Amino acid sequence: MNGKPDAVVVGAGPNGLAGALRLAAAGLRVQVVESAERPGGGMRTEELTLPGYRHDTCSIVHPMAAAAPFFREFDLPSRGVRLVHPEVAYAHPLDGGRAAVSRYSLEETAEGLGADGAAYRRLFGPLVEDAQDVIDFFLMSRLRRPPTRSVGAVTHFALNALPNVRWLAQRWFDTEEAQALIAGAAAHGMLDLARPLTAGLGMVLGMLAHHRGWPLVEGGSQRLADAMVTALEQQGGEVVTGHHVTDLREFDGVPAVLLDTTPRGFVAMAGDRVHEGYRRWVSRYHHGPGVFKVDWVLTEPVPWTNPEVRKAGTIHVAGTLAETMDGEAAPAAGRTTDRPYVLAVQPTVVDPTRAPEGGHVFWAYVHVAHGSTMDMTDAIEAQVERFAPGFRDTIVARAVKDAPAMEAWNPNHVGGDISNGEASLRQMLFRPVPRWNTYKTPVEGVYLASAATPPGPAVHGACGDNAARVALREVFGVRDVPPLRPAV
C-alpha cells in the first residue's frame, strides 16, 4: 500500500477481518497485519496428516456465522462460501446404544426426547420463534443496542440463563437424554458447568440448532477467511502476513488501529502509554482452560453404536449430565480425568470434499488445565471407543496439538484457551475491563477488536464490527455507518 493507510488492523482472525471490512465500507484505506503466514486466525484449514486430507485447525462448526448480523450482511453465498448442514446438528451418545439428537426441526427434536418432548418445546419454543431478535440483541454492542422487539423471548432467556446448566437441566427435564443434550451444548463454553451462566450457553446453542443450524463451511473454514480477505482486497485494502507487531509506535500517524489480540498483547505493544489502572485491570483478566486437539484420518466413518449419531455433524462424547459436569470440573480445577468431555466433529459426513474419495477425517478436542502438556490422546480415543466400538481399528493417521502448541499456533490462545478469555459471568459483562466502552483503550485511536471484548468468543465477527463502528464515530466522525459493499 503506497503511503500510510487510514486504518490498520492487527490480527487477521474473523474479528479483525470483520472490522477491516466495516472500515473499508466507509471508504477508508485499510491494512491488516497478521503474524502467521496465512490469514484466518482460528479459521484455518491445513493438511495436518496426509496429503489431500483437509483439517480445520480450530474453528469448524459455524452456527454463529450462519446467524450473526455481520455475516448475514456479508452474504456468504454471494462470496462463494457454501454452508453445508448435517441431518443431525449435534448428538449426545449414552451407554446402551442410546443417544439424544438435535435436528433442525424443533418438533422432530422434541419428539425424539419422549417424555421430555413437551418441556423441550416450552423451553426452546419462545426462543426459536424470535431467535433472530435474540441473537441480534446479544451480539450488538450496548453502545448502539436498540430496545428489542422480542421482550418476552429475551426475558424468558434471561430468567433461565443465569443459573448453571445442572439447575436448568433438572428443572426442565426428567430423562437422561434431554439433560445430557443441553449439558453437552453448554460445555462448549469451557467453564465448570456448576458455575452461573452455563445454562445460557446451552440455551443459545440449542436455539441456534433450530434457527440456522450448526453448519460447516464446505471445503474448510479457511474458505470463509479467504472470502473475507478477497472482499477487502477488492476494496483496495491489503493483508500483510508473516509480520509480528511488537510496538504500536510502528503505526504512529495512522488515525485508527484495531487490535484483534489479547488484552495483554495490547498492553505489551502499548508500553508506557497505558496507565497503571488499566494495566492492573488487564492483569486480572482471566484465561480459562486450554484444549488438547486431535485430528484423524479414518478408513471409514466412526462406527457409532447408535445409527442417529452417524448422521451428526457434532458429537458431545461425555455420557450423562453428571459425567459431563465431572468432565468439565476437572480442567477448571487444574486436574485431568480418564473420562473427559470430548467435543467431536465428523466433517466428511456432510462434506466429502475434505478427503480423497473413500477417505474420512475426524476432529476432536478436550478441555484441559490451562497450559497443560498432558497427552490426552488415549483418553479421547477411549471415550469415542466407548460409544463406537471398533473406532481405533479405523485410524490411519493422527495429528495432535496440546495447549502450548495451540498458543504457539495462535498467540490469542493463551495457555490453549481458544476463547481469548474465560466466558464467566463477570468477564462477559465486563470484557476485558469494567468500563462502558470496552473497545476503546487508553491510547488515542487504538481499539480492541478481539473476542476479549463483547460479545465474546465464536465466529460472528461482532467484536471487530462493533470496534470498527466505534472507531468510525470517534476518529472519522462517521455516525451513519455504511453497509458492507456487495460482492464483486
Side-chain angles (χ1 to χ4, degrees), residues 119-476:
Y120 190 88
R121 291 185 193 94
R122 288 196 303 272
L123 177 60
F124 282 103
L127 298 177
V128 174
E129 185 176 345
D130 292 314
Q132 202 57 67
D133 285 346
V134 173
I135 290 297
D136 291 356
F137 180 80
F138 286 107
L139 291 188
M140 199 172 290
S141 166
R142 57 176 168 249
L143 300 173
R144 63 185 185 94
R145 182 183 294 155
T148 180
R149 294 171 295 173
S150 305
V151 175
V154 171
T155 302
H156 174 70
F157 175 82
L159 291 174
N160 289 282
L162 288 177
N164 65 52
V165 75
R166 177 169 52 198
W167 174 90
L168 181 73
Q170 293 180 342
R171 180 189 180 207
W172 284 86
F173 305 125
D174 296 319
T175 65
E176 285 189 344
E177 286 82 357
Q179 291 180 354
L181 189 67
I182 197 163
H188 280 244
M190 300 180 65
L191 283 176
D192 182 342
L193 294 177
R195 295 181 66 176
L197 201 61
T198 52
L201 296 170
M203 291 176 68
V204 166
L205 288 172
M207 174 189 71
L208 284 169
H210 307 309
H211 174 51
R212 294 292 181 103
W214 282 26
L216 290 78
V217 176
E218 186 176 56
S221 297
Q222 183 75 52
R223 292 193 177 180
L224 175 53
D226 291 347
M228 298 176 80
V229 170
T230 297
L232 180 65
E233 291 173 343
Q234 289 171 344
Q235 296 172 65
E238 70 173 358
V239 178
V240 177
T241 59
H243 179 69
H244 180 59
V245 177
T246 59
D247 193 330
L248 287 178
R249 287 178 294 187
E250 177 179 339
F251 308 119
D252 282 352
V254 176
V257 178
L258 270 61
L259 303 177
D260 185 3
T261 67
T262 66
R264 291 177 189 176
F266 154 64
V267 168
M269 286 186 278
D272 59 9
R273 288 194 278 180
V274 175
H275 58 75
E276 188 57 33
Y278 190 92
R279 191 183 297 272
R280 268 198 310 273
W281 276 111
V282 167
S283 71
R284 296 169 186 160
Y285 186 71
H286 183 62
H287 285 274
V291 301
F292 181 96
K293 182 171 179 288
V294 187
D295 290 278
W296 295 270
V297 170
L298 308 179
T299 58
E300 60 184 73
V302 179
W304 303 103
T305 301
N306 188 292
E308 292 298 291
V309 181
R310 301 178 190 180
K311 304 173 185 176
T314 302
I315 307 95
H316 303 140
V317 191
T320 63
L321 167 66
E323 288 181 285
T324 304
M325 294 194 67
D326 288 345
E328 288 299 88
R335 298 183 285 105
T336 58
T337 174
D338 293 335
R339 286 197 165 185
Y341 164 85
V342 179
L343 201 169
V345 180
Q346 39 195 20
T348 38
V349 165
V350 69
D351 182 12
T353 69
R354 296 183 182 228
E357 186 174 357
H360 296 272
V361 295
F362 189 46
W363 174 110
Y365 69 66
V366 295
H367 302 144
V368 296
H370 185 83
S372 172
T373 59
M374 178 70 69
D375 188 335
M376 296 294 290
T377 306
D378 287 343
I380 294 172
E381 293 183 354
Q383 278 285 69
V384 176
E385 186 84 16
R386 172 184 169 190
F387 301 103
F391 164 66
R392 286 194 174 103
D393 296 334
T394 71
I395 298 173
V396 176
R398 69 171 64 83
V400 304
K401 274 190 174 74
D402 63 11
M406 291 297 290
E407 181 176 356
W409 173 77
N410 187 335
N412 281 8
H413 298 167
V414 176
D417 173 13
I418 60 175
S419 296
N420 201 345
E422 184 182 73
S424 63
L425 177 60
R426 181 181 70 83
Q427 289 199 169
M428 292 301 283
L429 291 174
F430 305 106
R431 190 174 181 92
V433 297
R435 59 192 318 185
W436 179 249
N437 185 345
T438 57
Y439 308 101
K440 188 175 181 177
T441 76
V443 180
E444 186 176 358
V446 176
Y447 301 87
L448 273 177
S450 68
T453 63
V459 177
H460 43 57
C463 306
D465 189 19
N466 291 338
R469 290 170 181 270
V470 174
L472 285 171
R473 184 179 69 247
E474 294 190 350
V475 178
F476 301 100

Side-chain angles (χ1 to χ4, degrees), residues 12-90:
N15 284 307
L17 293 173
L21 285 166
R22 183 63 68 190
L23 296 170
L28 303 180
R29 300 170 71 243
V30 183
Q31 182 183 65
V32 179
V33 181
E34 168 59 49
S35 62
E37 295 302 319
R38 296 178 70 185
M43 298 189 302
R44 280 179 274 174
T45 306
E46 300 173 1
E47 292 184 344
L48 299 174
T49 53
L50 300 175
Y53 290 87
R54 299 172 59 78
H55 306 272
D56 282 339
T57 46
C58 186
S59 180
I60 183 169
V61 178
H62 298 289
M64 278 295 187
F70 176 85
F71 284 110
R72 296 201 315 274
E73 185 182 347
F74 186 63
D75 189 12
L76 298 181
S78 73
R79 315 282 180 173
V81 179
R82 181 169 178 249
L83 298 180
V84 290
H85 294 261
E87 183 178 339
V88 172
Y90 60 97

